[in-house]
Amino acid sequence: MSIIFVSLILLPNLSIIVQFFSESNDNWTHIKEHMLSTYITNSIILILFVGVFTALIGTSLAWLISAYDFPLRGFFKWGLILPLAIPPYIGAYTYHGMLNYTGVIQTTLRNQFEITVNQQYFNIMNMPGAIFIFVMFLFPYVFTITKAFLARQSTSLIENARILGSSSWRIYFKVVLPITRASIVAGVSLVILEVLNDYGVVKYYGIQTFTTAIFQTWFGLGDLNSAIKLSGTLMVIILGLLILERVLRGRKRFSFTTTKVKLLKPVPLKGRNKWLAFSYCMGIFSLAFILPLLQLIYWALLTYEKFLSNELFSVIGNTVFVAFFAATIITVMAIVISNFSRLHRGLTAKLFPKITILGYSIPGAVIAVGIVTLFISIDELIYSWGWTSSYILSTSVVMLIFAYIVRYLAVAYNSVESGFERIGTNFTEASRMLGNSVTQSFFKIDLKLIRGAIFGGFILAFIDILKELPLTLILRPFNFETLATNAFNYATNEMIHEAAIPSILIIIISAVAIYFFHYVLERE
Amino acid sequence: MFVHIRDLHYKYPNAEELTIDQFNLTINKGGITTILGESGSGKSTLLRLIAGLEMPTKGNIMVGDDCMCSHSKFVQPENRGIGMVFQDYALFPHMTVKENIQFGLLKWSRKEKKTRLQEVLELVNLEGYDKRYPYELSGGQQQRVALARALAPKPKLLLFDEPFSNLDADLQIKIREELRKILKTTGVTSIFVTHDQEDAQALADNIVILRDGKITDTGTPDEIFGTDCDISERLAVKPRVLSKL
């Protein structure tokens, strides 16, 4: 069964590779000669700056919160994860709405202080602006992974450094940064994949990247063939990045297996330092969560009457239905595959996890291209057998749900796998020694012990699907709206106020899920 | 002969050398055998082979009249009727003592289960603890629950993987004696794996010394450690034994 699941994931990617080598047309020659270098430069600038800044902000926050005590530290521990609840595209148009000529900041300056500012300084719709947006809403990836690492692994090292008389700064640069390198790389890779996947921010801010180019050639020029070629190029770049990460990591391993988990005891900060640490955390938290949320709430209050209609409820219904349905399938598949690779040795068992992760590394637009080509050929096959009178699969929600599965299987898989890793195989073996078969043991013991991890995986997949934009935009059936497409469409049609309600709904559902997830993890 | 192991070989995939090399062993019914070896000698692998948790590359294992494995047959661990006490006990954390102990009593009636629970709890001196969860027990108590759980389905053979390694030294001595008494009362045949020669000496009817997957010496404790069981004597004997290890 696991083999079937894994090949389902591989199929759309294979279909891109196959078609990549098909004959090229004029569009492609044009793109290659005149535009490809712009896409590549823009994408690389974005990745580079967003990567560096998320690493700096994410690790410094994680270190402050792990090592020191200052006002509201307990709140920031999970509060600083909350910006993940705001999808970058929502952040992007919210900030634009705040900063533009009619936005709250310039209006206040004009009306209260009679200051008219130079528009140049307040224009966010450019490359630095996009970098700012990505950093603000993606740094929690680095923050959470690094914080978890610091809490689990580093206590004795840091305590030793303290005993040996190192100052705080010295510890940070000589000990903390080097030992957390692996988790920083892990966090930053996630951030980079998100940036490459993004369509909303770059489209709204008018920056030409691979994703926007795929959309443009496909829907603007109606040229699926060139879209496939662009997707293939992007896949090559991503594979290159993944290999680079492997090579950089080399043979170094920064984690040791110790069963004794000792928590780092935070040192209380005093006087000026206390307030500096607090302001830093509070500043980031305001920029990345409070300010955009307040702005959205204000807009929502202006427009809510328009929205309390059946349309909104049907959008909510659609969103929850596809997210719930796809997340359930994803979770079941994750359990089956990770249980298989846990209990088996050999090449296939080792390869499966890598393949599931492949889906997560590949941007939504590329997956969409692969899936459309795949489903159309299946539909043609069914049609030619005379079973149906029209294209059934490629016009239904099945295609969208299948795409979610390909893209987000890794999310649930990682969670379930770490659950399995934590319990090891001892309990299963004990159960078998007491006369239960592998299957019986699985249901009576394993499944119950990793309940938390399974639930966590489900939640993560659920909110990722809830926020998903590029796949949904391309693959949804006609007239099928989710909260994400709804918000994005209003925003791109310059109806920013109307975009507020669906945006807030996404943020609230995600924030509750994140809180819940954090709470479950803390308790375990 | 109750347990009969002949010509057992085992190699981990990707390993160059055999982990278990030409292992032969016979055990009488009701006997307590200790396999003594340093870490890496292959002793835990041996136990897992007998339990059925690993598949040998070659060799036969007979328990009672049943063939557990040969070149043409491999009985899954759940069908072997062998009990095992794990090094870290592996008590199911989401189940009470009662549920843990009754877990292996698959086809027993409710009434039989209840009687058996009382019997084994009495045996390990833990009456009244049946509603506790594993984390509410001390290390010594957890170990006794693990023993009770393994004994409950009346296994033909009982295996122990480093059973005292998680206990304090003074507790270790007390439990060791208790354990020998319990095993002799029930008459179950058992195999211990340990690296501690004092454990081996105090518990075993027979000792097998394992090094690099091969047997280097077998015999009764007296034969191996000398007849005089005086503490000081025994310590003096140590160098000789160590050289054997």
Side-chain angles (χ1 to χ4, degrees), chain B residues 100-133:
Chain B
N100 261 291
I101 291 176
Q102 293 182 340
F103 187 82
L105 309 178
L106 283 171
K107 289 187 179 125
W108 296 41
S109 76
R110 183 176 292 222
K111 210 173 149 198
E112 286 172 330
K113 277 189 188 176
K114 209 173 146 193
T115 337
R116 188 61 185 155
L117 174 70
Q118 288 314 319
E119 278 173 22
V120 290
L121 279 178
E122 216 169 292
L123 198 63
V124 299
N125 249 328
L126 278 177
E127 296 109 313
Y129 282 85
D130 51 333
K131 297 223 166 49
R132 300 266 190 110
Y133 281 94

Side-chain angles (χ1 to χ4, degrees), chain A residues 184-475:
Chain A
I184 297 174
V185 170
V188 171
S189 332
L190 280 179
V191 169
I192 288 177
L193 294 176
E194 285 290 328
V195 172
L196 287 176
N197 173 54
D198 172 78
Y199 172 68
V201 177
V202 286
K203 164 78 180 152
Y204 194 73
Y205 282 7
I207 295 165
Q208 286 286 340
T209 62
F210 269 99
T211 352
T212 56
I214 292 171
F215 268 77
Q216 239 165 39
T217 43
W218 192 358
F219 299 108
L221 301 172
D223 182 0
L224 185 56
N225 187 291
S226 297
I228 288 173
K229 291 205 180 333
L230 276 172
S231 306
T233 319
L234 184 51
M235 265 168 84
V236 171
I237 293 177
I238 283 170
L239 282 180
L241 282 174
L242 291 179
I243 293 169
L244 185 72
E245 193 244 322
R246 265 298 131 78
V247 174
L248 280 180
R249 200 189 303 168
R251 290 191 340 104
K252 284 183 196 155
R253 286 191 178 240
F254 293 90
S255 59
F256 2 82
T257 44
T258 161
T259 45
K260 286 198 184 89
V261 174
K262 206 165 55 167
L263 287 178
L264 195 61
K265 202 172 147 28
V267 181
L269 287 176
K270 288 195 195 73
R272 203 169 54 114
N273 287 342
K274 180 165 101 178
W275 294 108
L276 269 177
F278 170 77
S279 325
Y280 180 51
C281 292
M282 196 61 203
I284 300 277
F285 183 65
S286 311
L287 284 173
F289 193 72
I290 295 181
L291 289 179
L293 189 64
L294 285 178
Q295 176 70 75
L296 283 170
I297 290 173
Y298 173 70
W299 287 337
L301 290 176
L302 293 178
T303 55
Y304 76 97
E305 279 169 345
K306 249 198 267 182
F307 265 95
L308 290 175
S309 62
N310 287 332
E311 195 210 327
L312 182 68
F313 291 115
S314 91
V315 170
I316 296 175
N318 282 344
T319 314
V320 173
F321 164 74
V322 285
F324 189 85
F325 193 66
T328 309
I329 301 178
I330 285 174
T331 313
V332 172
M333 284 172 70
I335 295 169
V336 173
I337 298 177
S338 57
N339 194 43
F340 175 83
S341 39
R342 178 175 76 122
L343 296 177
H344 291 77
R345 294 194 188 120
L347 193 65
T348 33
K350 270 191 197 151
L351 216 58
F352 279 4
K354 304 272 179 309
I355 293 171
T356 56
I357 286 165
L358 189 71
Y360 193 71
S361 322
I362 291 173
V366 178
I367 291 179
V369 172
I371 282 178
V372 165
T373 39
L374 178 72
F375 269 67
I376 287 181
S377 52
I378 295 175
D379 264 346
E380 273 169 356
L381 203 65
I382 297 176
Y383 185 71
S384 68
W385 290 338
W387 289 1
T388 52
S389 53
S390 62
Y391 286 7
I392 287 278
L393 289 175
S394 53
T395 51
S396 73
V397 77
V398 174
M399 189 164 69
L400 183 61
I401 288 176
F402 182 76
Y404 287 147
I405 293 171
V406 173
R407 177 139 167 82
Y408 293 119
L409 180 59
V411 175
Y413 181 86
N414 280 342
S415 176
V416 173
E417 192 198 29
S418 71
F420 273 135
E421 247 166 42
R422 216 172 32 238
I423 62 166
T425 49
N426 259 356
F427 294 116
T428 322
E429 287 175 353
S431 164
R432 293 190 73 190
M433 292 311 296
L434 291 164
N436 288 267
S437 70
V438 179
T439 321
Q440 282 170 322
S441 313
F442 177 73
F443 283 105
K444 283 192 205 167
I445 304 293
D446 301 325
L447 214 51
K448 290 196 173 136
L449 288 177
I450 60 161
R451 247 181 338 202
I454 293 175
F455 186 65
F458 174 84
I459 296 264
L460 285 181
F462 184 84
I463 52 175
D464 263 337
I465 295 169
L466 191 80
K467 300 189 293 186
E468 211 290 329
L469 188 64
L471 274 181
T472 322
L473 274 181
I474 302 178
L475 298 176

Side-chain angles (χ1 to χ4, degrees), chain B residues 2-62:
Chain B
F2 185 68
V3 177
H4 198 108
I5 301 173
R6 220 179 56 217
D7 200 25
L8 202 65
H9 285 72
Y10 182 75
K11 205 175 90 143
Y12 275 103
N14 308 329
E16 297 265 311
E17 286 169 18
L18 289 167
T19 314
I20 299 294
D21 190 0
Q22 222 181 353
F23 185 87
N24 290 285
L25 179 69
T26 49
I27 304 173
N28 290 326
K29 194 167 173 59
I32 303 177
T33 299
T34 297
I35 296 167
L36 183 61
E38 291 174 334
S39 58
S41 59
K43 57 190 193 309
S44 288
T45 310
L46 186 65
L47 211 62
R48 293 174 62 83
L49 285 167
I50 301 170
L53 295 168
E54 303 286 349
M55 205 185 282
T57 359
K58 202 174 127 189
N60 299 343
I61 298 173
M62 298 272 295

